[in-house]
Amino acid sequence: MSTPIIEVRHVAKRYQLGGIGLTSLRSEFERWWGAARGRAPVADAGEFWALRDVSFDVQRGEVVGIIGRNGAGKSTLLKILSEITEPTSGEIRLRGQVASLLEVGTGFHPELSGRENIYLNGATLGMRRAEITRKFDEIVAFAEVEKFLDTPVKRYSSGMYVRLAFAVAAHLEPEILIIDEVLAVGDHAFQQKCLGKMQDVARTEGRTVLFVSHNMAAVSRLCHRAVHLAGGGVAAVGPAAEVVSAYLAKATEARGAWTRPADAIRRGKVTFSAARVRDAAGVAIGVVPHSDGFAVELECQEHATTAPWLLRVSIYDAHGHELLAAEDTAAAAARGVQPGRTVRARCVFPPGLLKPGTYTVGVSACELAGDRPVALYEEHEPLLAFEISPQGYEARVGRGVMGVQPEWTFPA
């Protein structure tokens, strides 16, 4: 087998809680000595291990998905691979030039125009001016920002930031492209465009892509292999479809209801604290008869918002395909902004919508600009699972993924 383009060996990352630089020289020496002798890191009350003993390889030209729940260590791993932060222990070997798209607008100067930032960001990625000029028109066309090319990017929306940042990273020919799920805030058409570009980058240009996503269908379709992170460690590595299926099956352990632990660290402008599936009678259960409607109830806290924001509920099948999504766009403007409050919402689905089977629920909160989501506050996909039972189901619905039976009429 050829030499991997990325090697990750026993990587761990520790963060100190409650203070900076407060550890003693002795404790640091003991930690270093233990790592040198191959001992597993041991936590104390004032520290948090974001990653523990993470190891895997990536071959040249592979597309590898990184999946896992929020807090599993995905973003920390990408920052280490991007050489933004160093691991506490372990080793990473990168045999190629790396371009990373981890946060919206990273590496952009707000006072410079889109045109100037393309050259600045390209230079930051190690590209020569001639290379950037050769790709310039393709970048602008892909980002769809022609009208705003000479406008300072501080006046760009978050969506425009995403488009331009992705376009620069994808067109400047790095050997390794690392992408966090910033694409979640783009519109559907742009997301599909980006997924297509990543396929071209890997299949026709032979570049390597690491892709963090909560979109399991995209991971299954785009990636050769997947790495499932859980609790900072590697839970599984293997063919993408197999790892995704096992991950979604495990998500069904949270059936019907989810509550965030009271001691969980809360970050961001909006955070979810509870979610549940209720039947038509208002009972929180994990099994809903096909003949009944059901509702997804959410509870979230608004911390430090400055703009209207919406809630989204998505329903996925057992393979991770998003069957439908419901957004409270109309209610978002009326809700306004009021940091410190608790928001409770109920999304009601009609009877007979889904065929019998197991489904998962994903939820997210996004900042709004007009009627479009532009910045992702928090996302959980999948969050919990529920089952549609065969009670009241008519097999004549057919072979489609949905369970609703349309009404036929024959006008004269």
Side-chain angles (χ1 to χ4, degrees):
M1 181 178 291
S2 61
T3 302
I5 192 170
I6 300 173
E7 289 185 64
V8 180
R9 293 288 179 270
H10 308 294
V11 167
K13 179 64 179 178
R14 172 181 58 89
Y15 290 102
Q16 191 70 28
L17 301 179
I20 299 176
L22 299 181
T23 56
S24 67
L25 179 61
R26 177 179 177 178
S27 65
E28 288 301 315
F29 177 78
E30 290 175 348
R31 203 179 307 281
W32 170 83
W33 183 250
R37 295 174 65 87
R39 296 175 188 165
V42 179
D44 61 40
E47 64 186 23
F48 168 71
W49 288 91
L51 295 173
R52 290 177 179 271
D53 196 26
V54 173
S55 298
F56 62 90
D57 292 337
V58 178
Q59 298 297 323
R60 190 174 299 275
E62 269 195 311
V63 182
V64 176
I66 311 291
I67 65 174
R69 290 184 175 275
N70 290 348
K74 304 186 300 297
S75 295
T76 300
L77 176 61
L78 292 199
K79 288 178 181 178
I80 292 174
L81 289 168
S82 302
E83 300 181 311
I84 294 172
T85 187
E86 293 184 354
T88 304
S89 62
E91 182 181 16
I92 286 179
R93 294 180 182 177
L94 301 171
R95 297 182 173 91
Q97 188 179 41
V98 178
S100 302
L101 183 54
L102 304 185
E103 295 182 11
V104 175
T106 299
F108 282 10
H109 192 296
E111 299 295 335
L112 299 181
S113 68
R115 183 188 304 274
E116 293 166 326
N117 270 293
I118 290 174
Y119 280 94
L120 174 64
N121 197 231
T124 302
L125 294 173
M127 302 298 167
R128 297 176 180 176
R129 186 178 182 85
E131 290 182 83
I132 302 171
T133 300
R134 179 166 53 88
K135 290 282 187 177
F136 186 86
D137 290 342
E138 291 180 44
I139 293 170
V140 173
F142 188 93
E144 302 173 4
V145 294
E146 294 93 335
K147 294 181 180 179
F148 308 97
L149 197 55
D150 295 306
T151 301
V153 297
K154 67 181 181 181
R155 298 196 177 99
Y156 282 21
S157 67
S158 296
M160 293 166 66
Y161 260 101
V162 168
R163 295 201 299 272
L164 189 58
F166 181 88
V168 172
H171 284 82
L172 292 184
E173 300 181 354
E175 293 170 275
I176 303 170
L177 181 59
I178 298 176
I179 304 175
D180 205 345
E181 190 159 53
V182 294
L183 305 182
V185 301
D187 58 49
H188 180 74
F190 181 70
Q191 290 179 31
Q192 296 305 307
K193 188 176 182 179
C194 291
L195 291 172
K197 180 61 180 178
M198 284 190 283
Q199 285 182 318
D200 291 342
V201 162
R203 295 178 182 176
T204 64
E205 301 175 26
R207 285 184 269 167
T208 304
V209 179
L210 286 184
F211 178 46
V212 164
S213 181
H214 289 285
N215 186 334
M216 295 300 104
V219 171
S220 297
R221 177 165 59 91
L222 180 67
C223 302
H224 305 110
R225 294 191 302 132
V227 178
H228 174 199
L229 294 181
V234 176
V237 179
E242 295 179 11
V243 174
V244 166
S245 295
Y247 173 62
L248 291 173
K250 193 171 183 62
T252 62
E253 293 176 3
R255 294 183 76 85
W258 168 85
T259 303
R260 178 172 243 144
D263 59 348
I265 298 173
R266 293 191 172 188
R267 306 184 184 94
K269 297 181 178 181
V270 176
T271 57
F272 291 96
S273 56
R276 63 192 65 86
V277 176
R278 292 190 183 272
D279 65 8
V283 178
I285 57 175
V287 180
V288 179
H290 175 266
S291 55
D292 290 355
F294 66 94
V296 176
E297 294 186 346
L298 304 176
E299 184 176 295
C300 53
Q301 276 66 48
E302 186 175 358
H303 299 295
T305 53
T306 57
W309 51 278
L310 64 76
L311 292 168
R312 177 191 290 128
V313 172
S314 298
I315 306 296
Y316 298 86
D317 68 10
H319 303 290
H321 297 100
E322 187 176 31
L323 301 180
L324 55 92
E327 298 177 345
D328 71 335
T329 309
R335 181 166 55 238
V337 176
Q338 189 179 329
R341 67 177 165 179
T342 297
V343 175
R344 296 178 178 85
R346 194 166 191 260
C347 183
V348 181
F349 296 90
L353 181 65
L354 302 173
K355 295 176 72 172
T358 299
Y359 299 87
T360 56
V361 177
V363 301
S364 58
C366 305
E367 179 183 326
L368 269 181
D371 61 351
R372 296 178 62 183
V374 294
L376 184 65
Y377 288 160
E378 186 172 20
E379 182 178 47
H380 296 273
E381 294 182 356
L383 179 62
L384 53 86
F386 68 100
E387 183 180 343
I388 297 293
S389 75
Q391 183 179 338
Y393 175 67
E394 297 183 25
R396 62 189 175 86
V397 166
R399 295 171 294 181
V401 295
M402 307 299 281
V404 65
Q405 175 64 35
E407 179 181 349
W408 287 80
T409 61
F410 298 91

